[in-house]
Amino acid sequence: MVVGTVYKDMKLKPSILDEYVKVCGRHKTASVIGISLQTFATTPQLGVKSQAATIVCLLEFSACILLQDRGASQLVGRTKFVGADDSIILEDESARMKLRGDSLPVGQLVTGVVMAVKGVAAPGGDFQVNAFCFASMAAQAPQSSLSEDKYVALVSGLGLGDDAADPLKLSLLVDYLVGSLASNEEQTRVSKIVRVVVAGGLLKSTEGLLQATTHKHPRQQAAALAPIREVDMCLSELAGAVPVEVMPGNNDPANHSLPQQPLHRCLFPLASSFTSFNRVTNPHEFEVDGISFLGTSGQNIDDIYKYSVEENRLTLLQRVLEWGHLVPTAPDTLTCYPLSDSDPFILESAPHVFFVGNQSSYSSQIITGSEGQQVLLVSIPRFSVSGTLVLVNLRTLAVHPIQFGADLSA
């Protein structure tokens, strides 16, 4: 039995070193061609055949560099970097060995996963895998039993600052959560919402905030700060009716590396005046009435998706629980804060609800672990695109997606 960390060798995986070599190659090609053409101009005694042959060689050389550039440009538009020639290497601090075997799920694995393999040494230094296993799902605290329905509202990807987004959706969302927009039955459900969690994606991008500098005209500053001010107004209205927790996301004004620290208080002068408004980290772990929640704003699942053949986001969530690590691909392809003594991403216990924000579509599923653990997996879509709010019933773990739209013809 051998235990180690997986490294997935992928030919299509982007590499900053490869890009640097290609850039140097382009500069050298330009220099060689320039020097050669200058030589032709200053050396008329060269024969016509010699000149023609040299030009052909230069053209072939530059064509090779051009093909490399085209290959790199094709990678830019890729959403996945898996290939048929990918291979798995198991390594630790002392050695590494290449794994092979028909039962090895090469396409499903990603770099950073801790794995135990059983097999025999093969010729050439490879290791023939006969069986393998992962950390498996961690132990889970007992789920508390509630006598009445209570709900936690999950939403992500508000995407303010996007000119293509419909502002009426967000207005309908706020009115619904504060109890101003619903039938009597829905208002009864809304009154039982005990917490609202915004899983990142408050802004479309932070480029507008970079324009709000002191040397800009006041009108330009006001236009650049308009999205974050609109976010503050919406959150303050929500915080006046229900506890609100806001996680930072990939395009929000927070540190880029995981774990992301809470958004700064100065961004929400109105909402921060409420004690019911909380700025939290990403990933975020909390508990409500004995039901534990764990979730991210989507960076970890999006990164795993790029280097795995798996298409279903809920399956990726399940894989994360089985691997026992929330962000296995960091720091290889996802930036994280360097930690030497401890790893905050190790899953020491299984949550009752595991959610991921800023996904392309909504989906949910309850899975059962090997020791009877039951975890509700929830994929939360971007609200700016789908207009979807997700309500989780704490008593039954039932999920109620609610969609808001402004299509009057529907």
Side-chain angles (χ1 to χ4, degrees):
M1 180 73 71
V2 182
V3 180
T5 304
V6 168
Y7 173 77
K8 191 172 184 178
D9 187 17
M10 310 177 68
K11 305 299 182 184
L12 297 178
K13 185 172 74 172
S15 172
I16 186 64
L17 295 179
D18 292 342
E19 295 301 319
Y20 176 77
V21 171
K22 291 173 184 177
V23 169
C24 292
R26 286 195 294 269
H27 290 318
K28 289 182 180 180
T29 301
S31 300
V32 170
I33 293 176
I35 293 174
S36 301
L37 292 178
Q38 184 178 6
T39 302
F40 292 154
T42 58
T43 313
Q45 64 270 22
L46 288 176
V48 176
K49 291 184 178 179
S50 299
Q51 291 183 0
T54 305
I55 290 176
V56 169
C57 292
L58 289 174
L59 291 176
E60 290 179 350
F61 182 45
S62 60
C64 292
I65 299 297
L66 181 60
L67 289 176
Q68 289 182 355
D69 291 343
R70 287 180 178 177
S73 64
Q74 290 175 358
L75 292 179
V76 173
R78 281 182 173 267
T79 58
K80 281 184 174 292
F81 299 98
V82 293
D85 55 350
D86 295 343
S87 60
I88 297 298
I89 298 173
L90 198 66
E91 60 184 10
D92 60 11
E93 296 178 352
S94 60
R96 60 191 332 223
M97 61 184 184
K98 185 175 181 179
L99 305 182
R100 69 183 190 185
D102 296 335
S103 62
L104 195 65
V106 177
Q108 299 176 7
L109 294 175
V110 294
T111 297
V113 174
V114 176
M115 182 180 183
V117 296
K118 181 180 179 181
V120 295
D126 295 349
F127 190 83
Q128 181 69 35
V129 177
N130 298 327
F132 62 90
C133 66
F134 305 107
S136 74
M137 190 183 302
Q140 186 182 58
Q143 181 179 339
S144 62
S145 58
L146 303 178
S147 58
E148 61 178 355
D149 291 338
K150 291 184 179 180
Y151 297 91
V152 169
L154 303 174
V155 66
S156 70
L158 301 182
L160 292 197
D162 185 3
D163 296 335
D166 189 354
L168 185 56
K169 289 182 181 179
L170 182 59
S171 179
L172 293 174
L173 172 67
V174 174
D175 290 342
Y176 176 84
L177 291 175
V178 300
S180 301
L181 178 70
S183 62
N184 293 334
E185 181 181 355
E186 283 295 325
Q187 285 185 347
T188 302
R189 177 185 294 176
V190 171
S191 66
K192 297 179 180 180
I193 295 177
V194 296
R195 189 173 302 188
V196 175
V197 179
V198 183
L202 298 177
L203 303 178
K204 175 65 176 178
S205 68
T206 56
E207 294 181 1
L209 295 179
L210 299 177
Q211 305 299 324
T213 54
T214 54
H215 66 274
K216 292 289 184 179
H217 190 275
R219 290 184 179 179
Q220 293 177 319
Q221 294 182 13
L225 295 175
I228 194 65
R229 287 175 177 169
E230 187 176 354
V231 169
D232 185 27
M233 292 179 60
C234 294
L235 294 177
S236 64
E237 190 172 351
L238 286 177
V242 63
V244 179
E245 294 181 346
V246 177
M247 302 165 54
N250 189 43
N251 293 325
D252 294 328
N255 61 297
H256 184 68
S257 59
L258 295 177
Q260 287 183 293
Q261 298 305 298
L263 295 164
H264 200 280
R265 188 178 187 275
C266 68
L267 296 172
F268 313 103
L270 298 178
S272 296
S273 61
F274 292 89
T275 58
S276 57
F277 176 76
N278 294 303
R279 299 165 291 108
V280 298
T281 61
N282 171 40
H284 180 37
E285 185 177 16
F286 61 97
E287 184 176 313
V288 181
D289 289 336
I291 305 299
S292 59
F293 286 72
L294 175 63
T296 70
S297 296
Q299 295 98 315
N300 61 331
I301 299 301
D302 290 342
D303 196 62
I304 294 174
Y305 175 85
K306 295 177 183 178
Y307 305 101
S308 171
V309 296
E310 186 59 54
E311 297 285 344
N312 192 325
R313 300 305 175 102
L314 293 184
T315 303
L316 295 180
L317 284 174
Q318 184 176 356
R319 297 262 189 271
V320 167
L321 293 176
E322 294 174 351
W323 294 336
H325 200 280
L326 192 58
V327 194
T329 56
D332 181 53
T333 54
L334 189 62
T335 57
C336 70
Y337 188 82
L339 298 164
S340 57
D341 298 331
S342 62
D343 189 346
F345 303 121
I346 294 177
L347 299 177
E348 298 180 354
S349 61
H352 297 115
V353 180
F354 189 22
F355 65 89
V356 57
N358 298 286
Q359 300 303 297
S360 57
S361 62
Y362 160 78
S363 56
S364 65
Q365 178 186 357
I366 294 181
I367 62 172
T368 303
S370 58
E371 300 178 0
Q373 312 97 313
Q374 285 196 332
V375 181
L376 171 63
L377 309 178
V378 183
S379 171
I380 311 170
R382 297 179 185 88
F383 184 82
S384 60
V385 178
S386 66
T388 301
L389 167 74
V390 179
L391 297 182
V392 178
N393 190 323
L394 298 181
R395 183 178 64 86
T396 63
L397 291 187
V399 185
H400 306 275
I402 300 176
Q403 193 167 8
F404 300 87
D407 187 2
L408 299 179
S409 61

